[in-house]
Every structure is written in structure tokens, then in C-alpha cells.
Amino acid sequence: MRLAINIDHVATLREARGEVEPDPVAAAQICELAGAEGIVCHLREDRRHINDRDLRLLREVVKTKLDLEMAATEEIIRIAIETLPELATLVPERREELTTEGGLDVVAGRKQLKKTIERLNEHEIEVSLFVDPEAAQIEAAAEIGADKIELHTGAYARARSEDDRRMLLDQLRNAARQASELGMGVNAGHGLNYANINGILSIGEIEEVSIGHALIARAVFTGLEQAVRDMLELIRCG
Ligand code: PXP
């Protein structure tokens, strides 16, 4: 299973102070040096974290694979076509949400989504649809020509009891099998962390996971000790 890292939260921290650091472009390079097999970023309509400059530079520096998460709006489709990421993951987007909340309604939006897939495919951008693990959504994704789906793992990640966890993992397993039988690639993401990744590893059809929050959150703590030491050295030796 491949690991693609979502670096949005590095930009979230930068935007919290309106500063130039931390730079998500530098973060992407470190992720690749450490072995990440893809870099994911979400250019939101409100540019709350990743901005146009980041995307332009990410396209220049990312050597593995750039996955642009995006809403299927005219402005962002145009930017995707200019940027040419290897993969575009279409997600629903609402301004008031903290993060992407649910999967796409492919059944209801099939006409517009099909057109978007065709436009992006024309420019050799593969298209993945972020969907809940529901049979009707997956069937519709295949019908309109999606190259891949990304299964929304949020409900599984939030499961409180072992019974719920098992049931939600089975849903993901069935959805992954269905998508694979329909000829689509299968990615998964949202809420995955160091404690729940194990279940996902048991689903052979999932080719790639997209992980952001848990990984950046851990980096704060695994990097904090060194950051303190570096400052103390300056203070004591300065
Ligand atoms: N996949 C999609 C479609 C997302 O919107 C997000 C959140 O940006 C992720 C994966 C990563 O989720 P998390 O930050 O919880 O790891």
C-alpha cells in the first residue's frame, strides 16, 4: 500500500499567523525524502491553507505524484488544467466545514462530474472521486468513467466500539472489492492515524492511503524536542 501525504496543515499553521513559514512546499520535499509516494494538497475556494503559489511550486518540486484535491468548480478545474497534477481527487466542498465532511453524491451529480472527468482526462489528469463506501455511489462512479475512487474512511476512524469498527471496516472492504471489480483503482483516506491504519492494511484492494492531520500532528511532537534544543543552544552559546 502506498502512502500519500496531505500537507495542507503545514499551510494551516502558516496562515494562522499570516507568515511565510512553515512552508508546505518544503514539507513536501521532506515527505518525499522520507519515502512518501505521493503529495496531496487541497486548493480550497477560500484558500484557507494551500494557495495558488503553493500549488505552482508543488507542481515544480514534487517528484513522486501530485494529487490535487478539488471541488469540481470552473475556477479550480481551470487551475488544475494549468497545473497538470498526476491525479485530481474530486471532493464536495462547503465553506463552513472544518474539513471535507462527506463523500461526493455521484448519483445526484453524475452529469456534471462526468463532464469534469472528461475535461481533466483530456489533459491526461487521472480522476478519483471521494465517496462514502456505498454501492450506489461506487456504481455511479464507474458508470461516469472515474479512474479511481477514494473511500471515505472517516466513519471507520471515528468508530467508538469494536463492533462498529468491524462493521465499518466490512463496509470499506465490500466497497473496495466492488470498485476493483468495476475496474477502478482504490484509494482511501480521512481520519487515518497510527492506531487505526492496521484495519485498512487488511483490505488488499486499497492501493494508496492519503493521510494528513495525524501525521502532521505527530510531527509537531516528534520534532518539538529538537526545536527546543536548537533554541537553547542559541541562547546559551549566543
Ligand atoms: N482525503 C480527503 C479527500 C480529504 O479531504 C482529506 C482531508 O483533507 C484527507 C484524505 C486526509 O484526511 P486527514 O487529514 O484526516 O488525514
Side-chain angles (χ1 to χ4, degrees):
M1 193 176 286
R2 295 188 301 270
L3 171 63
I5 300 179
N6 180 315
I7 39 99
D8 291 350
H9 285 334
V10 177
T12 301
L13 191 53
R14 175 190 62 190
E15 295 304 312
R17 285 292 292 265
E19 296 284 351
V20 294
E21 63 177 14
D23 190 337
V25 181
Q29 291 184 294
I30 293 171
C31 291
E32 286 195 327
L33 272 177
E37 290 150 300
I39 299 297
V40 189
C41 69
H42 185 175
L43 185 71
R44 296 184 76 102
E45 185 197 9
D46 61 9
R47 308 297 197 271
R48 69 171 74 154
H49 37 54
I50 295 292
N51 60 34
D52 300 63
R53 166 266 183 201
D54 299 333
L55 181 62
R56 211 168 43 246
L57 292 182
L58 284 167
R59 175 60 296 176
E60 280 188 35
V61 307
V62 168
K63 307 273 190 309
T64 52
K65 189 189 69 173
L66 183 62
D67 174 2
L68 175 62
E69 266 183 41
M70 53 178 276
T73 62
E74 191 49 43
E75 183 208 8
I76 306 289
I77 293 169
R78 189 179 43 73
I79 292 172
I81 289 171
E82 279 165 21
T83 309
L84 298 177
E86 280 79 13
L87 182 66
T89 298
L90 303 185
V91 299
E93 191 175 301
R94 292 193 304 123
R95 260 176 191 265
E96 59 278 20
E97 68 191 0
L98 286 177
T99 180
T100 315
E101 283 170 357
L104 282 168
D105 190 344
V106 188
V107 175
R110 69 170 71 212
K111 213 166 146 198
Q112 192 222 354
L113 287 168
K114 184 170 191 282
K115 233 182 267 164
T116 305
I117 292 171
E118 285 166 1
R119 282 177 71 189
L120 294 168
N121 278 172
E122 256 171 47
H123 296 271
E124 293 180 18
I125 302 168
E126 284 203 303
V127 181
S128 177
L129 303 183
F130 184 56
V131 290
D132 292 316
E134 290 170 11
Q137 298 296 340
I138 292 162
E139 206 175 302
E143 275 170 23
I144 62 172
D147 301 292
K148 300 173 192 284
I149 55 159
E150 179 177 326
L151 286 173
H152 192 332
T153 51
Y156 159 75
R158 281 192 310 273
R160 287 257 166 255
S161 71
E162 196 47 41
D163 279 355
D164 280 357
R165 205 183 78 91
R166 210 169 306 120
M167 187 262 292
L168 292 160
L169 195 60
D170 278 344
Q171 273 182 17
L172 289 167
R173 195 184 312 285
N174 293 336
R177 187 171 309 140
Q178 180 194 2
S180 175
E181 282 171 5
L182 289 168
M184 295 183 289
V186 186
N187 295 342
H190 218 285
L192 297 179
N193 62 28
Y194 296 81
N196 63 30
I197 189 69
N198 213 22
I200 299 300
L201 293 176
S202 72
I203 304 178
E205 288 86 356
I206 297 180
E207 299 162 342
E208 182 171 297
V209 285
S210 164
I211 304 183
H213 184 84
L215 206 141
I216 302 302
R218 190 176 180 104
V220 171
F221 288 146
T222 54
L224 189 55
E225 189 177 332
Q226 188 61 46
V228 173
R229 286 184 202 289
D230 292 347
M231 184 55 80
L232 280 175
E233 195 180 321
L234 287 175
I235 290 170
R236 288 176 183 160
C237 304

